[in-house]
């Protein structure tokens, strides 16, 4: 005996189809009618003195860029936690009250140590 698999209806729906304009017609239309290119990308050219921008350089190791960003975030979090610790330490020091024993002159009591009259 074998099991018969259960079939379920797919939730994938049809996509509306449309026919695009061939690239040759589009180039011909733009050149002959002197139309501007409607969907051009932003300019990514940089001056030679500025060097390469990491976000546009295909040779950039994006992991290094991400690691530098995470280092910055970690430093900010560490500074924030250190500031909280410093604040708690200051509050704790403010609550500590040192009790010093009173001196004999101030209390009015006299010491009886070594003053016995018995011999």
């Amino acid at each position: 005996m074998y099991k018969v698999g259960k079939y379920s209806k797919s939730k994938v729906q049809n996509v509306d189809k449309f026919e695009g304009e061939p690239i040759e017609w589009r180039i011909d239309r733009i050149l002959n009618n002197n139309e501007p290119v409607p969907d051009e990308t932003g300019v990514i050219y940089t001056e030679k003195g500025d060097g390469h921008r990491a976000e546009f350089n295909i040779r950039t190791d994006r992991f290094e860029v991400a690691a530098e960003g995470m280092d910055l975030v970690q430093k900010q979090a560490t500074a924030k936690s250190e500031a909280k610790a410093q604040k708690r330490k200051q509050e704790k020091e403010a609550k500590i009250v040192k009790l010093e024993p009173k001196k004999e002159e101030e209390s009015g009591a006299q010491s009886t140590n070594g003053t016995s009259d018995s011999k």
Side-chain angles (χ1 to χ4, degrees):
M1 280 240 155
Y2 62 92
K3 286 188 173 183
V4 178
K6 292 183 181 180
Y7 294 104
S8 61
K9 289 186 178 181
S10 174
K11 294 181 182 179
V12 176
Q13 297 177 354
N14 291 338
V15 178
D16 295 333
K17 298 177 186 176
F18 63 93
E19 189 163 337
E21 179 182 19
I23 190 75
E24 293 85 5
W25 294 0
R26 185 174 182 183
I27 292 172
D28 188 45
R29 179 177 48 86
I30 290 172
L31 291 176
N32 291 337
N33 298 338
N34 294 328
E35 295 179 11
V37 179
D39 54 356
E40 68 181 54
T41 60
V43 177
I44 59 173
Y45 171 76
T46 56
E47 294 293 328
K48 193 172 190 176
D50 296 340
H52 294 287
R53 291 176 54 186
E55 59 267 17
F56 298 123
N57 187 358
I58 60 169
R59 293 178 184 87
T60 301
D61 187 6
R62 285 167 180 58
F63 182 78
E64 288 180 10
V65 174
E68 289 172 3
M70 288 307 297
D71 287 342
L72 179 64
V73 170
Q74 182 63 31
K75 287 178 185 177
Q76 290 174 349
T78 304
K80 187 176 179 181
S81 65
E82 287 177 358
K84 282 185 178 180
Q86 186 69 20
K87 185 177 178 182
R88 284 191 205 122
K89 184 178 178 182
Q90 289 174 352
E91 289 175 357
K92 189 175 182 180
E93 288 175 356
K95 290 180 183 178
I96 295 176
V97 178
K98 291 186 178 181
L99 298 176
E100 296 179 7
K102 292 184 178 181
K103 295 182 180 178
E104 290 181 20
E105 301 92 37
E106 295 176 4
S107 66
Q110 296 178 357
S111 174
T112 58
N113 192 12
T115 58
S116 76
D117 292 330
S118 63
K119 287 191 179 182

